Amino acid sequence: MMKREIGHSGIFVNAIGLGCMGLSEFYGPAVETSDGVALLHAAIEAGVNHFDTAQLYGMGANETLLGEAFHDRRDKVVIATKFGPVRDKETGAFLDVDGSEANMRSAIEDSLRFLKTDHVDLYYLHRVDLKTPIEDTVGAMAKLVEEGKVRALGLSEASADTLRRANAVHPISALQSEYSIFSRDIEDGPLKGVRDIGASLVAYSPLGRGLLTGRYTADYKPAKGDFRSAATQPRFEDEAFKANLELVEEVKAIAIAHNAKPAQIALAWVLGQGEDILTIPGTTKLANLESNLRGSEIGLGGEERARLDALADQVKGARYPASRSSNINA
Ligand code: ATR
């Protein structure tokens, strides 16, 4: 196993953790609770100890699932969760991002209750609230550290400037942003900020939301409840999707040369970008999780890296639609 520290928090985790979102929402129907708990227990046995959730995922359902799985083995897991986005309780529609202390206070109490724990290891602001100064939000989050409810702080999809301002209030241990062979836009700004302040990058969607696993073919149609569609994910829009599938062929070719899976190559690429990078691929299946963990054992050669490095500029479609981009790298 490859162990890495989350910033300078003193919290060490396996460099490959588990992004838990897809167990409850956005990638099709939620898994049955018993199946989800079984997967989470098996993940611990397989060596995973960094589990990433958020209040947003299933509006508490994902945290509740983790609580069910981990309440009797809390010392074996590092739990990261997030607050900020506000949704309509009836419809689930996204209403706002609220980084105020009042919203944080109610969110953390819900999270602790759902997670059946008295502390969260890593607490993130899920998206930057453009109306509330980051100093105010992080100042409030720092109180949770003093109170023992939270061990370390993080931001998600924040810019380098926001990271520096936040870190001046309280050490920021992690930036969680999308980072993969297909998504490298953070390199010019946020990733530099991470390095300036001595934090870690927690790379989400390292598999390009599944694209980089080679599982898709041109006839893919999103299932009910799967947000990988043209409206919410521009890279899955018909023409872009077909062009992006062509690029995956290069990842597949490198996988064949290593007798490996494309997903393992995608993870090896991310982890090879720096010792300050952790990653949290998502999966609902134990076989995929076990296979993905072997990604940290693969060493890519310089020529292979160069071939993979060349792909991001050719990807068609933005990470998010314009309507959801205002607090990306914000
Ligand atoms: P996110 O961080 O948003 O969860 P990701 O990690 O880039 O995104 O990709 C997650 C997607 O990749 C999921 O749809 C997952 O599907 P399963 O639940 O069916 O596994 C898919 N995925 C993960 N590992 C995979 C693997 N080894 N082979 C095929 N698909 C995989």
Side-chain angles (χ1 to χ4, degrees):
M1 291 294 161
M2 183 187 275
K3 270 199 163 185
R4 289 184 175 175
E5 187 176 7
I6 304 176
H8 297 304
S9 65
I11 304 172
F12 287 81
V13 290
N14 190 337
I16 299 182
L18 181 65
C20 298
M21 178 187 83
L23 294 168
S24 300
E25 204 184 2
F26 299 119
Y27 289 170
V31 299
E32 293 292 332
T33 299
S34 55
D35 293 341
V37 168
L39 178 87
L40 293 167
H41 287 173
I44 298 177
E45 293 307 312
V48 174
N49 57 359
H50 176 197
F51 293 86
D52 186 86
T53 180
Q55 183 188 44
L56 176 88
Y57 308 154
M59 296 197 287
N62 199 242
E63 291 181 323
T64 301
L65 179 65
L66 267 64
E68 207 53 38
F70 297 147
H71 69 93
D72 59 352
R73 58 203 79 193
R74 182 67 184 86
D75 56 331
K76 292 193 161 50
V77 295
V78 167
I79 298 177
T81 192
K82 322 182 190 78
F83 81 100
V86 180
R87 295 173 72 176
D88 184 302
K89 286 198 168 54
E90 301 297 319
T91 66
F94 289 87
L95 301 177
D96 197 9
V97 174
D98 184 350
S100 68
E101 177 160 4
N103 184 46
M104 180 203 75
R105 287 275 168 202
S106 102
I108 189 70
E109 294 311 323
D110 283 348
S111 291
L112 294 174
R113 196 171 68 254
F114 293 149
L115 287 163
K116 293 192 180 159
T117 183
D118 61 358
H119 70 282
V120 164
D121 297 289
L122 176 58
Y123 199 45
Y124 292 98
L125 176 64
H126 202 159
R127 287 290 182 271
V128 176
D129 172 2
L130 304 173
K131 309 174 304 301
T132 304
I134 195 67
E135 289 83 356
D136 293 0
T137 302
V138 173
M141 292 168 79
K143 293 184 198 168
L144 298 181
V145 178
E146 276 167 34
E147 292 162 19
K149 293 179 174 167
V150 164
R151 290 174 69 196
L153 303 185
L155 304 181
S156 183
E157 294 287 6
S159 68
D161 184 51
T162 301
L163 282 169
R164 287 187 203 105
R165 286 170 51 202
N167 194 63
V169 177
H170 186 278
I172 298 297
S173 299
L175 172 71
Q176 182 172 140
S177 286
E178 181 173 354
Y179 191 53
S180 70
I181 293 170
F182 276 6
S183 295
R184 300 180 57 190
D185 51 280
I186 62 164
E187 286 176 5
D188 289 339
L191 187 53
K192 288 194 177 124
V194 164
R195 289 177 170 158
D196 283 352
I197 67 170
S200 293
L201 174 72
V202 175
Y204 80 81
S205 294
L207 307 175
R209 302 191 163 82
L211 262 175
L212 290 162
T213 67
R215 67 187 278 158
Y216 291 115
T217 51
D219 56 4
Y220 162 77
K221 292 275 173 287
K224 198 168 185 297
D226 193 327
F227 88 138
R228 288 167 290 195
S229 65
T232 44
Q233 286 287 301
R235 291 179 181 174
F236 284 78
E237 180 276 324
D238 273 2
E239 288 310 306
F241 184 63
K242 286 192 190 112
N244 294 334
L245 282 185
E246 290 295 315
L247 301 177
V248 177
E249 292 303 313
E250 189 76 319
V251 185
K252 285 189 194 170
I254 291 172
I256 288 168
H258 281 268
N259 197 18
K261 302 281 186 212
Q264 294 168 339
I265 299 299
L267 296 171
W269 181 90
V270 168
L271 294 176
Q273 292 295 100
E275 299 214 336
D276 48 4
I277 300 181
L278 315 162
T279 189
I280 46 167
T283 182
T284 54
K285 300 183 180 72
L286 183 59
N288 287 349
L289 181 144
E290 287 174 337
S291 169
N292 293 347
L293 286 176
R294 292 198 289 276
S296 64
E297 293 160 18
I298 296 174
L300 296 168
E303 184 263 348
E304 291 172 329
R305 285 203 152 267
R307 282 161 62 196
L308 296 170
D309 285 351
L311 298 179
D313 283 347
Q314 302 171 60
V315 171
K316 297 275 182 292
R319 295 206 272 129
Y320 288 99
S323 58
R324 292 190 48 200
S325 292
S326 62
N327 42 21
I328 296 298
N329 299 336

